[in-house]
Amino acid sequence: MTPSRTTLRAAVGTVSAAVLATTVLTTAPATADTATVASAPASAASAATSSVKFVDITGDGGTTLKANVFTPAGADGTRRYPVIVLPTSWAMPQVEYMAQAKKLADAGYVVVGYNSRGFWQSGGKIETAGPQDIADASKVIDWALANTPADPQKVGMGGVSYGAGISLLAAAFDKRIKAVAALSGWADLIGSIYSGRTQHLQATAMLGGAGALTGRPSEELQTVLKDFLASRLDKEEDMIAWGKKRSPATYLDRLNDNGAAIMMGNAWGDSLFPPNQYADFFEKLKGPKRLEFRPGDHATAEGLGLLGLPNDTWTNTKRWFDHYLKGADNGIDRESPVLLKSRSTGAYEGYPSWKEVPSAQRRIELNGTKRISANLDSGANGGLIFLSSMLDQFLKLPPMASIPLLPRSLAAVWQSDRYESEQRVRGTTKLHTTVSSTAESGTGIAYLYDVGPLGVGKLVTHAPFTFHGETPNQPFGVDLELFSTAYDVPAGHRLAVVVDTVDPLYIEHNPSGARLSFSSPASDPSYVTVPVRG
């Protein structure tokens, strides 16, 4: 007999709860980092074990939200504590944050973690960070202020992935929120899963499948996913409007007016929410802000911290809350607001802003005319979601391709000269070219490879682009930003630019038998600019 979805959901929840709860209960309280100890009250640094209880919170429209509440030891109603609200990630049970919540409570915070509506045992349907989810966050804050020793002047929100997006959106609508830690989240939902006007197939399929397994997708979400994966151009404007309503970037003015201190973290290889959209949003924030990028894929930079293990992302998250909710003078406000970790060396680098990350550009001319056939994978691709970027994170093994062996009938290839010195790629590579197609629609994927002496290319970055409604065989311009990264190209290596038409990560729109041509007119030369740091 095939188990029902409810049975599977219960089984997965039981296993998740057991693993996370065991970690919480068996891990000794971690020693705070030096900066935190220096600024925290002695009682927080040596706090006894906090307490936890599981509660039901009434969300928007009467929906029941399953939650857990950690309260500092010794809380007797005579004082109030800063409060942090943590909405769960997409498809995760309510015990997701228990290890970190306990650490925060031991340090003197009230912490309320709750299962986002539509998932697991919480009521309602999955609204994908819609208005109901934003209202739920405020309802949880209301509950915390009424039922715990939470300080109404010291409210923070945070979370991973879905929890990060909801936290940013809530901060735009609830002025009580003074600090946010948004980890592996999004600022532009459509810019994330539909970048270059191309459906991110594996990412969307994973989100849809996980939502169906662990929750109850709303009718609206089901319709949007169906139209999205079916490539219904007649529904494109509706989908963009749906995503815009759920994008923190839409409410940038409200966020700036409310003035919450916002920390954002992401991974270079995030398969769901590429780093570009976070960096663009960060630059437009006017209040206290911090941006951290590390190697890895979606939620892997902070994932081990969810198990209570040492983790730089969560350490800085606590320092962020300590400063902006407790007023601790731990120096985080004086540090460089942009913190990058190289994929190649694992070293951290601080910068005053995102736009100041690169100090120079390396230009690769895309000379000549190259024609390629569509519908077949050349062998150049971005890998598989999660697996490829995790291999890069832990083993420094990004997707690879033999550049000399790529079939030129399927892939357009250009290479730089060998570089005499190391090239520290930092930031966003940009492509400008002229394209023509035998069809009115089509898709291309641009890759940048680090090519060693034997011709083996290691993927530095990539991005897709799709066009519709073009006149067949008539040239048109394409400008494309590849996904931002931090990668060191060794001395003696080349950079190679490759463009083909098929990648398992994306839905492609090339009709059968279509051909693409790339040219470089004298009046408008084609090129790629690669940002580097001296």
Side-chain angles (χ1 to χ4, degrees), residues 49-406:
T49 301
S50 53
S51 62
V52 60
K53 63 179 179 179
F54 292 83
V55 300
D56 289 351
I57 297 176
T58 301
D60 185 56
T63 298
T64 298
L65 305 174
K66 295 294 183 176
N68 54 76
V69 183
F70 280 84
T71 305
D76 57 6
T78 61
R79 58 168 292 194
R80 291 189 175 272
Y81 301 86
V83 58
I84 298 174
V85 174
L86 303 172
T88 54
S89 304
W90 187 271
M92 290 294 287
Q94 63 156 311
V95 294
E96 176 184 11
Y97 301 113
M98 287 189 74
Q100 289 300 325
K102 182 179 186 300
K103 288 184 177 183
L104 288 166
D106 287 346
Y109 291 92
V110 172
V111 186
V112 183
Y114 72 94
N115 230 134
S116 303
R117 70 165 50 222
F119 287 105
W120 298 94
Q121 285 77 36
S122 281
K125 295 185 177 182
I126 301 172
E127 302 296 341
T128 323
Q132 298 96 322
D133 294 293
I134 299 171
D136 282 345
S138 291
K139 292 287 188 180
V140 173
I141 294 172
D142 292 342
W143 183 91
L145 297 180
N147 294 277
T148 74
D151 188 335
Q153 303 303 315
K154 299 177 179 179
V155 178
M157 279 197 71
V160 176
S161 186
Y162 196 48
I166 291 175
S167 294
L168 285 172
L169 288 162
F173 286 86
D174 195 324
K175 293 183 178 181
R176 294 174 297 182
I177 299 170
K178 305 302 182 185
V180 173
L183 311 178
S184 290
W186 74 91
D188 182 347
L189 187 56
I190 296 301
S192 296
I193 62 173
Y194 194 50
S195 70
R197 210 179 176 187
T198 308
Q199 294 99 326
H200 293 212
L201 173 61
Q202 291 184 18
T204 308
M206 189 284 297
L207 289 170
L213 177 64
T214 63
R216 299 164 301 282
S218 67
E219 290 76 9
E220 183 182 31
L221 173 58
Q222 294 180 60
T223 298
V224 168
L225 285 176
K226 181 180 178 181
D227 293 342
F228 182 77
L229 293 173
S231 303
R232 288 194 58 178
L233 287 178
D234 62 319
K235 297 293 185 180
E236 185 179 40
E237 290 187 5
D238 293 341
M239 178 197 67
I240 291 173
W242 175 86
K244 187 175 181 180
K245 183 185 294 185
R246 291 159 169 80
S247 296
T250 301
Y251 311 105
L252 179 67
D253 289 344
R254 297 185 67 138
L255 276 165
N256 285 333
D257 288 344
N258 288 350
I262 296 175
M263 171 182 161
M264 304 191 303
N266 205 349
W268 294 120
D270 195 311
S271 299
L272 306 185
F273 308 126
N276 303 46
Q277 48 90 35
Y278 240 21
D280 292 343
F281 176 70
F282 170 83
E283 284 292 274
K284 297 172 185 174
L285 289 172
K286 295 181 179 179
K289 58 184 180 178
R290 184 178 178 91
L291 178 68
E292 301 183 356
F293 283 142
R294 295 179 174 85
D297 207 306
H298 186 67
T300 64
E302 58 272 5
L304 292 178
L306 292 175
L307 298 177
L309 299 175
N311 183 270
D312 291 350
T313 304
W314 283 103
T315 294
N316 286 345
T317 294
K318 180 180 178 298
R319 294 177 63 222
W320 190 254
F321 285 135
D322 282 350
H323 180 75
Y324 287 102
L325 295 183
K326 286 186 174 182
D329 185 14
N330 56 19
I332 198 167
D333 58 319
R334 298 187 294 275
E335 296 173 0
S336 297
V338 176
L339 184 68
L340 310 183
K341 189 175 185 180
S342 168
R343 290 167 50 201
S344 304
T345 67
Y348 282 108
E349 303 165 357
Y351 298 92
S353 70
W354 174 251
K355 66 181 179 182
E356 295 180 71
V357 169
S359 56
Q361 303 283 338
R362 298 288 179 261
R363 182 163 165 143
I364 303 172
E365 304 293 343
L366 308 184
N367 294 323
T369 298
K370 301 183 185 294
R371 297 180 177 86
I372 60 174
S373 297
N375 310 120
L376 293 174
D377 192 340
S378 71
N381 63 65
L384 299 172
I385 62 168
F386 303 142
L387 176 61
S388 296
S389 290
M390 289 178 68
L391 287 173
D392 184 38
Q393 177 183 2
F394 296 111
L395 301 176
K396 293 184 172 56
L397 290 175
M400 299 183 190
S402 174
I403 303 305
L405 296 182
L406 291 176

